[in-house]
Amino acid sequence: MSKFATRVEEMDISGIREVFEAASEDAINLGIGQPDFPTPEHVREAALSAIEDELVDSYTSNKGTPELRQAISEKYERDNDIAVDPDDIIATAGASEALHIAIEAHVGQGDEVIYPDPGFVAYNQLILLAGGTPEPVGLRDDLTLDPATVEDAITEDTAMFVVNSPANPTGAVQSEADMREFARIADEYDVVCLTDEVYEHIVFEGEHRSPMEFATTDNVVQVNACSKSYSMTGWRLGWVVASEERIERMLRVHQYIQACASAPSQYAAEAALSGPQDPVGEMVAAFEKRRDVVLDGLNDIGLETPEPKGAFYAMPKVPDGWATEMLENDVVVVPGDAFGENGAGYARLSYATSIEELKEALEVMKSVTRTSF
């Protein structure tokens, strides 16, 4: 009799998906983590030109086109002052695949992986899929990850720890001092720091820094994507950057599960990274205005909310049953415990939607909170 793999039986359906399936068609959706802006025109035109020129009818290199990897390399020099060899990059099917191959290549059966809780829903599940042991750690009051907490959690079985800044679901941005400490921990304890930087450009206060800037070994593996910064979630184009030795191991996984990233998306991503960056700044400015509307509204309701300094999420503290009550009143928010046990007592709101809808949703929240809680 056939049976299912234990590692799959241990995995769960995303709590975000469960909320979406329960929502009505007319609900205001503050649960989805994607920009509501169109992909920039020059990016779409680059993909169309590549199709018309018959450049996308066959596989690309497993790592991605040389032109895209060169554009990614130049992006690191321009934005991060980091030298990255184009050969040390793999273009992937979104950041999701990049996270998957990074974890698969570095985590053995029973190896421990430390990650933030609350944190992005994929971390726990990808660790289980690789046969690893998830080790969630709590956050500071401002919802940033404390390097000291990570260091205290490291054991002889630790293979990796995950850093995410700006963070999903919290919107928190780690300081330069924190990033220096994460790099030190990776170097000193000889464990991999997997740094998820897909919201890199969406920062309102402070600045984005990466542990890769400060590491003295090759123990930092960085994941990024065009999805959030360029409003390209549907294009499924991300990448992973690491040392030659680590890239070669991740390539072994990538070549069998994906072969190569979508060719049209690679040409689109090349245009996004090397073309005008004005659309990014315009989106970030819009997100900051929306954040301020949301924070003012939540404060008016009386919901304590750590100030998000990046991404496009807010995570207020809410009464028990609050997220369910919002759903019943056609406002979709995600219960905090969908992102880990320490998310209990919070809810995640995405403000990647119009100010008009945000204001309408906040009015519903105010009415329901004051009536029912």
Side-chain angles (χ1 to χ4, degrees), residues 30 76 81 89 120 122 172 191 221 229 261 293:
L30 304 187
Y76 279 97
D81 197 24
I89 298 167
F120 180 45
V191 296
V221 175
S229 296
V293 167

Side-chain angles (χ1 to χ4, degrees), residues 1 24 29 33 46 57 59 79 98 108 116 136 141 163 170 248-249 305 369:
M1 181 176 178
S24 72
N29 193 343
D57 297 342
Y59 297 118
D79 297 343
D141 289 342
V163 175
T170 64
E248 196 277 333
R249 268 64 176 187
T305 308
T369 302

Side-chain angles (χ1 to χ4, degrees), residues 192-246:
V192 173
C193 171
L194 177 58
T195 173
D196 177 351
E197 304 183 17
V198 299
Y199 294 92
E200 170 186 4
H201 292 295
I202 308 175
V203 176
F204 315 128
E205 297 171 31
E207 61 178 336
H208 172 74
R209 303 302 293 267
S210 172
M212 188 168 276
E213 298 177 52
F214 310 114
T216 58
T217 67
D218 75 340
N219 286 344
V220 175
V221 175
Q222 191 194 90
V223 166
N224 211 321
C226 289
S227 301
K228 312 299 183 178
S229 296
Y230 298 97
S231 195
M232 293 177 65
T233 53
W235 295 81
R236 308 311 304 134
L237 198 291
W239 61 85
V240 61
V241 172
S243 67
E244 179 182 4
E245 186 177 29
R246 296 189 187 282

Side-chain angles (χ1 to χ4, degrees), residues 111-117 124 127 133-137 153 155 158 160:
D111 284 349
E112 295 174 354
V113 181
I114 298 164
Y115 64 97
D117 176 3
N124 174 281
I127 295 163
T133 301
E135 294 291 342
V137 295
T155 73
T158 303
M160 174 183 284

Side-chain angles (χ1 to χ4, degrees), residues 48-58 267:
L48 289 171
S49 294
I51 293 168
E52 291 169 354
D53 293 341
E54 300 180 356
L55 300 177
V56 301
D57 297 342
S58 58
Y267 286 96

